[in-house]
Amino acid sequence: MHDFLFTFQSTHLALKGEKYHKKQGRRIKLIPTPFEIFAECGFSLEMNLDEKELEIIRDDKKWQYSECYLILSENGSNRRYEKI
C-alpha cells in the first residue's frame, strides 16, 4: 500500500471526485494541494492504495483528475512527490 495524491483542474472536480470515491467506500482525504505541486485547483485527494486499486482508479472514466503523484516520506514527516 502506498499513499497517492490526485490533483484537479477545478474545485468542482475535486469535490465531485471526493463524493464519488466516498460512495465507492474508499477512505480518502480532501487536502489543500501541497505548495510543491503546481495545480490549477487548491484541493487534492489523498488515497492509500495498492497497485491493483491504483490501476482501477486511474482507468475509471467516472471521475476526472489532472495528475497522480506517489507520496514519498522522508524522516517520517517531510514529503516528496513523484509524478506517475
Side-chain angles (χ1 to χ4, degrees), residues 11-78:
T11 300
H12 173 76
L13 289 174
L15 295 174
K16 190 174 177 180
E18 177 191 35
K19 183 178 179 180
Y20 174 72
H21 288 292
K22 281 187 176 180
K23 280 186 176 182
Q24 300 300 315
R26 294 187 179 100
R27 293 187 58 199
I28 61 170
K29 287 193 265 183
L30 182 67
I31 64 168
T33 300
F35 68 89
E36 299 93 342
I37 297 174
F38 174 77
E40 298 87 359
C41 175
F43 294 104
S44 295
L45 287 182
E46 186 176 315
M47 297 186 210
N48 187 272
L49 306 166
D50 63 29
E51 295 299 321
K52 184 178 179 182
E53 290 172 310
L54 176 64
E55 186 177 320
I56 290 168
I57 286 173
R58 290 185 73 192
D59 291 340
D60 190 342
K61 303 295 183 206
K62 294 181 182 172
W63 75 303
Q64 296 175 321
Y65 67 92
S66 294
E67 303 290 343
C68 178
Y69 295 85
L70 173 63
I71 301 172
L72 304 168
S73 295
E74 293 180 349
N75 302 326
S77 62
N78 294 333

